[in-house]
Amino acid sequence: MTHEARRMTRKSDQTRRRILDAAAATLANRGYAETSIKAIADAVDMKDGSLYYHFESKDALVLEVLRLGTTLAEAAVAEALNGLGDDPDPMEALRTAIVAHASAVLGMGDYPRANVRNFGQLPAAIANAHMVHQQRYGDLWRGLLRAAAASGHLRPDVDAGAMRLLILGALNWAPEWYRPDGGLDPDRIGEQMAAMVLDGLRSARHEGR
Amino acid sequence: MTHEARRMTRKSDQTRRRILDAAAATLANRGYAETSIKAIADAVDMKDGSLYYHFESKDALVLEVLRLGTTLAEAAVAEALNGLGDDPDPMEALRTAIVAHASAVLGMGDYPRANVRNFGQLPAAIANAHMVHQQRYGDLWRGLLRAAAASGHLRPDVDAGAMRLLILGALNWAPEWYRPDGGLDPDRIGEQMAAMVLDGLRSARHEGR
DNA sequence: GCCGGTTTCTAGTAGAGACTAGAAAGCATT
DNA sequence: AATGCTTTCTAGTCTCTACTAGAAACCGGC
């Protein structure tokens, strides 16, 4: 590759990123059905045909947005867990992961939001191709709950698998109703969720399980 | 209306219902984007043009499916709450509503599932028209949580609005992962959710809020 | 100012989707 | 079997979509 080629490539990478950003925004705000190549091209001031220089198909573009979204969320949660040091309290780890995931889907911009909003609305081809990434993130959560259960911190009468899916469901649904302007910020949502999940809604003075 | 007209109308109503059923199934299983008039027509063994004798547009058809879904879920929850008699314990009411809602979205067939699956993926026009029904159902839940909070059964440090949205989010997301064949049935999912929401995941022997 | 490689545009194709007008078919009543 | 109403079909229109081939523009180095 020549000097020019290398510099050009850098510029091409920037354009590529702008396209991805626009696609993520449209996917997050309007959903897959309304995300047309033309809409994305308009957002980056291009003709729709030109996008095919950067991506070989719409599916490839969407898939990369989703992959980046999962990667971002996973990295955020993993980093938050790392901050707890070695061998943390399992319930504290769970709380941390809940807050970090809430922050990711509500406060980290379009990529994670595009991810959760379009989960399940995608054509089978895209959904299947993306499942492998989602799977790895799921494993992280499976590990958290398994650790909590194994150490006896988890109530014995609950199903860890169902808990994982219900918790992530509540958080993944949150972008549907969350509005950044009013009331609670993403971290507070996560803390509220963690409070409910870990200790329940029942007030101490009426306690009596 | 003549005799013939009345009998014919009954038959037309049956066809109308078959179309609605097919639309609900497609919406629930494949989502709005992949729900074409042609796909619905195929499912009821008709040509696509013929559907327009029964519904004036795709939007009108979709909207009616969503309306029926909300109505069904709301009726199921309301009935379950009625079964508790007058002046029930607020936390017991909450538990009952959670189980009933889970049963509705997971076990009552295509209409409620079509509803929650497509929530948020709909074109703005449909979403706005449907909001009024969703709103009324939301009010039912707002009432449940307000009653619990007012009587002191709810922890004072949680936001009732956020709780409502997180709880419904977890349940509405469940159709994305729930598979009827394996493991827990819809009621059990609801009970698991209620257990977590009301009393938390923490085991008694590690308790220490 | 020309060259080579990179990027974008022009101008299409082909297919699918929602929707429509008018013909045709059903069918109960007479 | 003729009538009148209801229901379905035929055969299209029009718009939007993803995608493509080849021309044009750009741009740094000579």
Side-chain angles (χ1 to χ4, degrees):
Chain A
M1 200 189 253
T2 64
H3 281 185
E4 319 91 272
R6 209 165 295 148
R7 191 169 314 161
M8 286 304 205
T9 296
R10 255 198 307 267
K11 151 144 208 243
S12 175
D13 280 352
Q14 281 173 15
T15 306
R16 198 184 147 85
R17 169 56 70 153
R18 283 176 51 233
I19 295 170
L20 284 166
D21 286 351
T26 312
L27 284 169
N29 295 326
R30 298 212 283 274
Y32 180 81
E34 291 186 48
T35 299
S36 65
I37 292 286
K38 173 130 192 354
I40 299 169
D42 284 352
V44 296
D45 266 315
M46 275 192 169
K47 300 298 171 183
D48 49 346
S50 307
L51 295 201
Y52 288 86
Y53 178 75
H54 300 277
F55 295 91
E56 69 168 288
S57 70
K58 181 186 175 180
D59 281 12
L61 168 53
V62 170
L63 210 46
E64 184 149 352
V65 170
L66 298 177
R67 198 180 51 77
L68 287 169
T70 304
T71 303
L72 273 172
E74 186 176 9
V77 172
E79 193 187 351
L81 288 172
N82 273 344
L84 294 179
D86 296 347
D87 205 25
D89 176 71
M91 293 312 256
E92 200 48 37
L94 202 49
R95 173 192 301 277
T96 301
I98 289 171
V99 173
H101 185 89
S103 284
V105 295
L106 296 177
M108 280 187 62
D110 296 329
Y111 288 87
R113 242 172 68 233
N115 214 319
V116 300
R117 159 141 197 194
N118 293 285
F119 187 95
Q121 325 297 325
L122 301 168
I126 298 185
N128 289 336
H130 186 239
M131 203 163 296
V132 52
H133 304 114
Q134 212 93 34
Q135 182 76 27
R136 215 187 48 216
Y137 186 50
D139 288 343
L140 191 161
W141 281 84
R142 258 181 284 268
L144 283 176
L145 281 155
R146 199 174 24 238
S151 60
H153 288 76
L154 221 59
R155 282 169 66 176
D157 61 333
V158 296
D159 179 295
M163 292 306 115
R164 179 183 104 253
L165 293 160
L166 289 167
I167 293 168
L168 286 173
L171 298 177
N172 288 345
W173 188 270
E176 300 286 350
W177 51 264
Y178 179 69
R179 293 294 164 264
D181 37 306
L184 303 97
D185 61 18
D187 275 15
R188 287 283 296 147
I189 301 276
E191 283 158 16
Q192 289 278 309
M193 179 70 189
M196 175 170 85
V197 162
L198 297 179
D199 296 309
L201 291 182
R202 222 183 276 281
S203 80
R205 85 180 150 97
H206 282 88
E207 195 123 20
R209 209 184 265 177
Chain B
M1 199 188 253
T2 64
H3 281 186
E4 319 90 270
R6 209 166 294 148
R7 189 166 317 157
M8 285 307 206
T9 295
R10 253 198 310 265
K11 155 156 206 232
S12 175
D13 280 352
Q14 282 174 15
T15 306
R16 197 184 148 86
R17 168 57 71 156
R18 282 176 52 232
I19 295 170
L20 284 166
D21 286 350
T26 313
L27 284 169
N29 294 326
R30 298 212 284 275
Y32 180 82
E34 291 185 49
T35 298
S36 65
I37 291 287
K38 172 126 190 359
I40 298 168
D42 284 352
V44 296
D45 265 314
M46 275 193 170
K47 300 298 170 183
D48 51 346
S50 307
L51 296 202
Y52 288 86
Y53 177 76
H54 300 277
F55 295 91
E56 69 169 292
S57 72
K58 181 185 175 182
D59 281 12
L61 169 54
V62 170
L63 209 46
E64 183 148 350
V65 170
L66 298 178
R67 198 180 51 78
L68 287 169
T70 305
T71 303
L72 274 173
E74 186 176 7
V77 173
E79 193 186 351
L81 289 172
N82 273 344
L84 295 179
D86 295 347
D87 205 24
D89 176 72
M91 294 312 258
E92 200 48 37
L94 202 48
R95 172 191 302 275
T96 300
I98 288 171
V99 174
H101 186 89
S103 284
V105 296
L106 295 177
M108 281 187 61
D110 296 328
Y111 287 87
R113 240 172 70 234
N115 213 320
V116 300
R117 159 142 196 193
N118 293 285
F119 188 95
Q121 326 296 325
L122 302 166
I126 298 187
N128 289 335
H130 183 54
M131 201 163 297
V132 51
H133 304 114
Q134 212 94 34
Q135 181 77 27
R136 214 187 49 216
Y137 186 50
D139 288 343
L140 192 162
W141 281 85
R142 257 181 285 267
L144 283 176
L145 282 155
R146 197 171 28 236
S151 60
H153 288 75
L154 221 58
R155 281 169 67 177
D157 61 333
V158 296
D159 180 296
M163 293 307 114
R164 181 183 102 255
L165 293 161
L166 288 167
I167 293 168
L168 286 173
L171 297 177
N172 287 345
W173 189 270
E176 301 286 350
W177 52 264
Y178 179 69
R179 293 293 164 263
D181 37 306
L184 303 96
D185 62 18
D187 275 15
R188 288 282 297 148
I189 301 276
E191 283 158 17
Q192 289 278 309
M193 179 70 189
M196 174 171 83
V197 162
L198 297 178
D199 295 308
L201 291 182
R202 222 183 277 282
S203 79
R205 83 180 151 96
H206 282 88
E207 196 124 20
R209 207 183 269 179

